[in-house]
């Protein structure tokens, strides 16, 4: 399977996500390279990130620590507006002659940051690169039904699909569906250390374990965008350091947990912006390995899991119990609190373990990222909760790079993580759990389930799609290759000197119209 060759990270997966700490952590922006009391006439926005980028290649790296940077440098054919409606980006408009065909008319005069003009040939190359097995792109399954890509002119390109696909336009909005320069790829081998796009910001410098600097694209094709001259991202893995830096004004913006956000609510110079995220926390199982190849074992662990307790303790009560499709997606999400496997039932859990051949329980290891406090806290709670049914679990806390490899190689029996359910139910259901899904790293395969989600992908009528995905969610919860836990509310601390910034669930870091007063 293609995923076996992948080199990419979650989350969040996903998903995405990041909060890390290690012995080399900086404890202040001064140590990270930000000068205290620095005064600039330029419009410079300083952002403290909770994790180092995992690479800058949009076709290979889905980690949120990377996406937050390369999404400012690269663009796709289409994007979402603030109302989560698909609108043109590098494509000014498009037409659909039939259910299987899309013709995109490109914006003329767009230039890559190296001065070369972006044309339909670049679009064709970008999607051929995504679909090339050697690229091992994490979004290849999004476009696996593309039958043919034809350049009609310098500014017009046609996509022909094998069959109707209700997710095609939504998938094109993914930050990883970026249009890249063939010349730059061939010069560098890949794009992990360089970034040359068409976006509002130009990649200037990446100092490992320190900072990334982007500068204004003076040749941007949209007038008066962006308003900032420079964006400086500082890697500050310790939340205490980020909390201190936002208080002193050494940085302008950072993400925080609910508990830390509570500490800032009365600060005169700071605004706290929150939104219900599209992310969810999960327990992932290697379903090819005993005892997790037994559905009853996975179901028993679900019945022994107290999700309300996790929401309250890990997320300060600011999280909603969720399935694979999060509540932020509205009617696409089923009410999982009514599902039998979400009702904590220790007696039933023990009964299932006995039926599976483990009447006395068993020993196992829960693996998680040492640098994500929410993941570590979740692992510790599960360790306590599962002990009630005879599960003796050790916890392995590993560093971020090793965690990425562990996730992509399915080398842990149980993995705690976070994913993003996306903006279309297909991502949550197909991308992660279809047998051929690019991010199905759990060795999970179920023919009946595949048939359901494939039907959902190819059904155009929304109400019929919703019924199909309702059935898919119920089936996935019953099979339990993952246990879906909670979907948290996210918090962004912003100094009051920052204007024009509004986080959305589908785009929490849009700074094109952001400026400092």
């Amino acid at each position: 399977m293609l995923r076996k060759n992948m080199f990419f990270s979650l989350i969040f997966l996903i998903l995405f996500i990041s909060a890390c700490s290690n012995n080399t952590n900086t404890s202040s922006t001064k140590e990270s390279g930000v000068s205290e009391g620095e005064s600039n006439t330029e419009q410079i926005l300083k952002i403290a990130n909770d994790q180092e980028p995992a690479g800058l290649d949009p076709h290979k790296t889905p980690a949120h620590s990377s996406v937050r940077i390369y999404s400012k440098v690269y663009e796709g054919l289409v994007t979402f507006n603030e109302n989560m409606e698909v609108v043109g980006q590098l494509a000014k408009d498009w037409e659909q002659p039939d259910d299987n065909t899309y013709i995109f008319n490109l914006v003329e005069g767009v230039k890559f940051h190296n001065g070369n003009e972006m044309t339909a040939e670049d679009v064709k190359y970008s999607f051929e690169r995504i679909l090339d097995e050697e690229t091992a792109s994490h979004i290849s399954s999004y476009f696996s039904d593309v039958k043919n890509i034809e350049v009609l002119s310098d500014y017009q390109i046609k996509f022909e699909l094998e069959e109707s696909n209700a997710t095609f336009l939504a998938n094109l909005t993914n930050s990883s569906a970026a249009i890249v320069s063939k010349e730059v790829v061939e010069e560098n081998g890949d794009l992990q250390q360089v970034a040359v796009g068409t976006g509002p910001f130009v990649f200037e410098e990446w100092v490992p374990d320190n900072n990334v600097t982007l500068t204004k694209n003076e040749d941007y094709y949209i007038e008066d965008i962006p308003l900032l001259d420079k964006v400086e991202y500082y890697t500050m893995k310790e939340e205490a350091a980020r909390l201190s830096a936002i208080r002193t004004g050494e940085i302008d913006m950072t993400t925080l947990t609910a508990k830390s956000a509570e500490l800032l609510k009365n600060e005169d110079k700071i605004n706290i912006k929150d939104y219900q995220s599209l992310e969810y926390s999960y327990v992932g199982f290697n379903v090819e390995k005993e005892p997790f190849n037994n559905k009853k074992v996975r179901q028993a662990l679900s019945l022994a899991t107290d999700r309300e307790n996790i929401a309250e303790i890990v997320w300060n009560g600011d999280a909603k119990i969720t399935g694979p499709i999060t509540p932020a997606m509205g009617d696409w999400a089923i009410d999982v609190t009514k599902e039998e496997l979400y009702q904590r039932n220790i007696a039933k859990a023990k009964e299932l373990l006995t039926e599976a051949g483990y009447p006395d329980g068993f020993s196992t290891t829960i693996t998680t990222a040492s640098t994500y406090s929410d993941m570590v806290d979740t692992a510790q709670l599960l360790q306590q909760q599962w002990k009630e049914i005879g599960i003796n679990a050790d916890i392995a806390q590993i560093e971020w790079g090793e965690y990425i490899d562990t996730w992509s190689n399915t080398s842990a029996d149980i993995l705690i993580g976070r994913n993003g359910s996306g903006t279309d139910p297909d991502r949550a259901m197909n991308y992660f759990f279809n047998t051929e899904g690019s991010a199905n790293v759990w060795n999970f395969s179920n023919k009946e389930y595949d048939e359901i989600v494939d039907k959902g992908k190819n059904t155009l009528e929304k109400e019929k799609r919703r019924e199909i995905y309702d059935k898919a969610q119920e089936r996935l919860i019953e099979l339990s290759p993952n246990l879906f836990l909670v979907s948290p509310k996210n918090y962004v601390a912003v100094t009051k000197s920052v204007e024009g910034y509004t986080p959305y669930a589908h785009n929490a870091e849009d700074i094109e119209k952001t400026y400092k007063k």
Side-chain angles (χ1 to χ4, degrees):
M1 290 174 60
L2 174 59
R3 65 179 176 79
K4 291 297 184 183
N5 297 319
M6 290 189 302
F7 176 76
F8 60 90
S9 64
L10 268 177
I11 30 338
F12 309 170
L13 349 84
I14 312 94
L15 285 17
F16 83 44
I17 303 172
S18 45
C20 298
S21 62
N22 57 34
N23 293 334
T24 61
N25 284 349
T26 57
S27 60
S28 73
T29 48
K30 184 176 182 180
E31 293 175 31
S32 298
V34 183
S35 300
E36 288 187 273
E38 186 176 47
S39 176
N40 294 285
T41 56
E42 289 182 296
Q43 283 276 316
I44 300 178
L45 186 70
K46 299 177 181 179
I47 302 174
N49 285 343
D50 46 15
Q51 176 58 42
E52 178 81 356
L56 297 176
D57 195 326
H59 297 165
K60 294 185 175 186
T61 309
H64 183 64
S65 56
S66 298
V67 174
R68 61 160 59 104
I69 292 169
Y70 68 61
S71 63
K72 312 299 184 296
V73 176
Y74 292 102
E75 296 176 301
L77 289 174
V78 298
T79 187
F80 279 126
N81 64 15
E82 63 272 16
N83 299 314
M84 237 172 85
E85 300 164 332
V86 178
V87 296
Q89 193 168 57
L90 290 176
K92 61 182 179 181
D93 54 44
W94 61 92
E95 54 191 283
Q96 197 174 356
D98 56 62
D99 287 347
N100 302 353
T101 306
Y102 292 81
I103 298 174
F104 294 92
N105 300 304
L106 306 182
V107 179
E108 298 183 23
V110 176
K111 292 182 179 180
F112 285 108
H113 299 154
N114 61 5
N116 294 340
E117 186 178 19
M118 188 277 302
T119 69
E121 289 290 350
D122 297 300
V123 177
K124 185 174 189 291
Y125 169 75
S126 296
F127 283 93
E128 287 177 343
R129 182 174 188 256
I130 289 169
L131 291 169
D132 187 341
E133 289 190 8
E134 290 189 9
T135 305
S137 176
H138 59 286
I139 60 168
S140 60
S141 64
Y142 280 2
F143 305 108
S144 59
D145 58 353
V146 172
K147 180 172 64 174
N148 185 53
I149 305 173
E150 181 181 356
V151 172
L152 302 180
S153 72
D154 282 350
Y155 307 112
Q156 192 174 64
I157 189 165
K158 180 170 69 174
F159 286 75
E160 293 179 87
L161 311 183
E162 296 282 357
E163 53 192 340
S164 60
N165 183 343
T167 72
F168 182 65
L169 285 176
N171 286 341
L172 287 175
T173 69
N174 191 287
S175 296
S176 292
I179 306 306
V180 304
S181 166
K182 179 180 180 180
E183 177 183 333
V184 176
V185 175
E186 291 181 343
E187 285 177 355
N188 295 277
D190 64 20
L191 301 171
Q192 293 290 39
Q193 301 296 319
V194 299
V196 179
T198 61
F201 292 97
V202 177
F203 173 69
E204 182 176 295
E205 183 183 34
W206 176 7
V207 180
D209 296 315
N210 195 302
N211 66 79
V212 176
T213 301
L214 307 180
T215 57
K216 180 178 182 176
N217 180 3
E218 299 289 355
D219 205 21
Y220 195 48
Y221 60 95
I222 300 177
E223 190 175 357
D224 298 325
I225 296 293
L227 302 179
L228 295 166
D229 295 304
K230 186 181 291 186
V231 185
E232 298 174 348
Y233 294 93
Y234 293 91
T235 300
M236 301 180 68
K237 300 177 181 180
E238 294 285 0
E239 184 166 55
R242 301 196 304 277
L243 186 63
S244 174
I246 193 75
R247 276 176 162 155
T248 61
E250 295 175 72
I251 61 167
D252 302 304
M253 182 185 301
T254 191
T255 56
L256 294 171
T257 62
K259 293 176 183 178
S260 290
E262 182 75 14
L263 298 175
L264 295 178
K265 67 178 183 180
N266 295 321
E267 295 279 344
D268 292 336
K269 297 182 180 180
I270 299 172
N271 287 323
I272 300 296
K273 298 178 181 288
D274 62 70
Y275 59 96
Q276 183 61 44
S277 75
L278 290 165
E279 298 171 356
Y280 63 84
S281 58
Y282 69 85
V283 181
F285 301 109
N286 182 348
V287 300
E288 281 189 348
K289 192 167 183 179
E290 292 184 359
F292 307 109
N293 59 347
N294 191 315
K295 179 179 69 174
K296 290 184 178 181
V297 170
R298 304 192 299 268
Q299 291 175 332
L301 293 174
S302 184
L303 288 168
T305 298
D306 188 338
R307 292 169 173 83
E308 291 183 359
N309 183 246
I310 292 171
E312 187 63 35
I313 294 178
V314 177
W315 301 101
N316 206 36
D318 287 334
K320 296 181 178 180
I321 295 173
T322 188
I325 299 177
T326 62
M329 289 188 67
D331 290 344
W332 290 113
I334 64 171
D335 183 359
V336 293
T337 62
K338 297 179 180 179
E339 295 295 312
E340 181 182 359
L341 290 175
Y342 276 66
Q343 316 306 315
R344 194 161 196 255
N345 189 330
I346 297 300
K348 179 65 175 176
K350 289 181 177 180
E351 180 182 324
L352 286 173
L353 282 181
T354 299
E355 292 175 5
Y358 302 93
D360 299 319
F362 54 85
S363 296
T364 189
T365 299
I366 301 172
T367 301
T368 192
S370 62
T371 47
Y372 291 101
S373 60
D374 62 277
M375 294 186 195
V376 174
D377 291 346
T378 298
Q380 291 172 344
L381 286 176
L382 291 173
Q383 181 187 49
Q384 297 168 18
Q385 293 172 8
W386 293 352
K387 196 167 186 178
E388 294 183 48
I389 60 170
I391 307 302
N392 295 308
D394 293 327
I395 297 175
Q397 298 184 38
I398 57 179
E399 291 299 319
W400 181 236
E402 184 182 356
Y403 180 89
I404 292 171
D405 291 340
T406 298
W407 178 79
S408 60
N409 296 323
T410 323
S411 51
D413 295 347
I414 302 177
L415 191 71
I416 306 297
R418 271 190 282 149
N419 277 335
S421 65
T423 53
D424 185 280
D426 178 73
R427 172 182 165 87
M429 309 306 292
N430 238 319
Y431 177 62
F432 289 113
F433 299 105
N434 189 303
T435 300
E436 300 300 325
S438 295
N440 179 357
V441 297
W442 313 111
N443 294 315
F444 172 69
S445 180
N446 182 273
K447 183 178 179 181
E448 179 189 353
Y449 176 80
D450 288 350
E451 290 173 352
I452 296 171
V453 292
D454 284 342
K455 185 177 180 181
K457 180 178 180 178
N458 299 323
T459 300
L460 300 180
E461 187 180 331
K462 183 175 180 180
E463 193 55 38
K464 289 183 178 179
R465 281 192 84 208
R466 192 168 66 82
E467 293 174 1
I468 292 168
Y469 284 113
D470 283 357
K471 183 179 179 182
Q473 289 171 83
E474 292 169 353
R475 181 63 173 149
L476 192 62
I477 289 169
E478 190 263 328
L479 293 168
S480 296
N482 279 193
L483 304 187
F484 309 99
L485 303 175
V486 298
S487 177
K489 184 178 284 188
N490 285 349
Y491 292 86
V492 184
V494 187
T495 59
K496 290 186 177 179
S497 63
V498 175
E499 298 281 353
Y501 168 72
T502 302
Y504 298 98
H506 63 281
N507 186 1
E509 297 180 351
D510 182 0
I511 56 172
E512 288 186 6
K513 297 180 180 179
T514 298
Y515 64 95
K516 292 177 68 177
K517 62 183 181 181

